[in-house]
Amino acid sequence: MTSSSASASEVYRKVIRNAVCATALEQGFSSCDALALETLTEVLQATLIEICHSAKAYAELGGRTEASGADVCLAIVDSGIRMEGLKEFIRRPRKVTLSAPMAQPRVSTPRTLQTGERKNLPNYIPDHFPPFPDSHAYVHTSTHRQPVTEYVAIREKLASQKRDIERALTRFVAKTSGTHTLFPDNPQLYPLIACKPHPQPWMIALCPKDQIFEDEDDDEKEEILPEREGVPDNPYLRPVKMPRRRY
């Protein structure tokens, strides 16, 4: 059911409800229950629909497209309603007249916002086809970003990632190993990673290690130390090797 047919059925239903209320007022009722009013409205609407369908059938049987008064009378008789007293009921003196239903204001369709210029249809497209949409309809936005290739931006991002990794590892080591504190009252405030004692601390200063090749140096050390026991890997600590004399 479309919106127009639904609104029309609501208008007809409201007119039938007003007719039921007018008839109740003529009979001396001053108030009515909502359920009783809806029941009487439904009964009256069903009766009118049945009479209309029967009148239409009689008109089509007679080869007509519109029902006449005789068709309506035959439909009323078929529905079981007695025709005696119907004329007096129509001409009763104290009947309540109903005002004509007011026309509902037409809802205007909002205009589509136009943001650009529409192109005209080419000559090979008929005029009854819809026009092209606005130029804004063809605007697209990419869903991904182009990779950054600038050297400065890459170095800044790499340095930021390195700082984050070092900070995260420092917090992990501080929580999983021994720590020192600057404030004895509150050991959780500014914890420091405990330093591990080394038998030869000066050796670390003389043998610096690069972070990139640290693992490779350890693997090479494991292979070299068993073969050359007692010989340090640092060239500054090795014994002097005299060159061969040539005669």
Side-chain angles (χ1 to χ4, degrees):
M1 181 180 294
T2 59
S3 59
S4 59
S5 60
S7 60
S9 61
E10 291 177 359
V11 172
Y12 296 149
R13 181 85 173 188
K14 186 176 181 181
V15 172
I16 296 173
R17 189 184 297 110
N18 293 339
V20 172
C21 294
T23 305
L25 288 175
E26 291 179 6
Q27 298 299 323
F29 293 95
S30 59
S31 62
C32 181
D33 190 29
L35 182 59
L37 178 60
E38 289 297 327
T39 303
L40 293 174
T41 304
E42 187 69 27
V43 170
L44 181 56
Q45 184 177 1
T47 304
L48 293 176
I49 291 174
E50 183 180 356
I51 293 174
C52 292
H53 282 300
S54 299
K56 181 182 178 183
Y58 278 113
E60 292 177 352
L61 183 60
R64 299 184 303 273
T65 57
E66 294 182 1
S68 61
D71 298 330
V72 176
C73 292
L74 291 175
I76 293 174
V77 173
D78 269 349
S79 62
I81 301 175
R82 300 178 61 180
M83 298 291 294
E84 293 81 1
L86 184 58
K87 186 181 297 184
E88 290 77 8
F89 178 75
I90 295 174
R91 296 177 179 178
R92 64 189 185 276
R94 295 182 302 173
K95 64 179 179 180
V96 179
T97 57
L98 300 176
S99 59
M102 298 178 60
Q104 294 183 354
R106 186 176 181 181
V107 180
S108 60
T109 305
R111 298 180 59 184
T112 306
L113 178 62
Q114 185 174 355
T115 57
E117 296 181 358
R118 294 188 177 184
K119 296 182 180 180
N120 297 327
L121 294 176
N123 298 328
Y124 54 84
I125 298 180
D127 296 336
H128 62 271
F129 279 91
F132 287 111
D134 297 339
S135 59
H136 185 73
Y138 302 100
V139 176
H140 69 281
T141 303
S142 57
T143 58
H144 62 278
R145 294 181 179 180
Q146 295 294 334
V148 181
T149 56
E150 297 180 1
Y151 176 77
V152 177
I154 294 176
R155 290 291 299 176
E156 291 179 356
K157 187 175 181 180
L158 182 63
S160 177
Q161 292 179 353
K162 187 175 180 181
R163 287 194 301 268
D164 295 340
I165 293 173
E166 291 179 355
R167 190 181 298 109
L169 290 176
T170 303
R171 293 178 181 177
F172 176 75
V173 173
K175 292 182 179 180
T176 56
S177 62
T179 58
H180 297 300
T181 179
L182 298 176
F183 304 94
D185 300 337
N186 190 0
Q188 300 297 332
L189 188 62
Y190 300 107
L192 302 177
I193 300 175
C195 297
K196 296 181 180 179
H198 197 274
Q200 298 177 349
W202 50 271
M203 186 69 69
I204 300 176
L206 294 176
C207 301
K209 295 181 180 180
D210 193 357
Q211 295 181 358
I212 301 177
F213 305 100
E214 183 175 355
D215 297 337
E216 298 179 0
D217 294 345
D218 294 341
D219 297 338
E220 293 178 359
K221 187 182 294 183
E222 292 179 359
E223 297 177 359
I224 295 174
L225 287 180
E227 299 178 359
R228 302 172 58 188
E229 295 182 356
V231 180
D233 190 24
N234 193 347
Y236 297 100
L237 301 179
R238 293 177 184 176
V240 179
K241 186 177 180 180
M242 301 300 295
R244 292 182 180 182
R245 294 181 181 181
R246 295 180 180 180
Y247 298 96

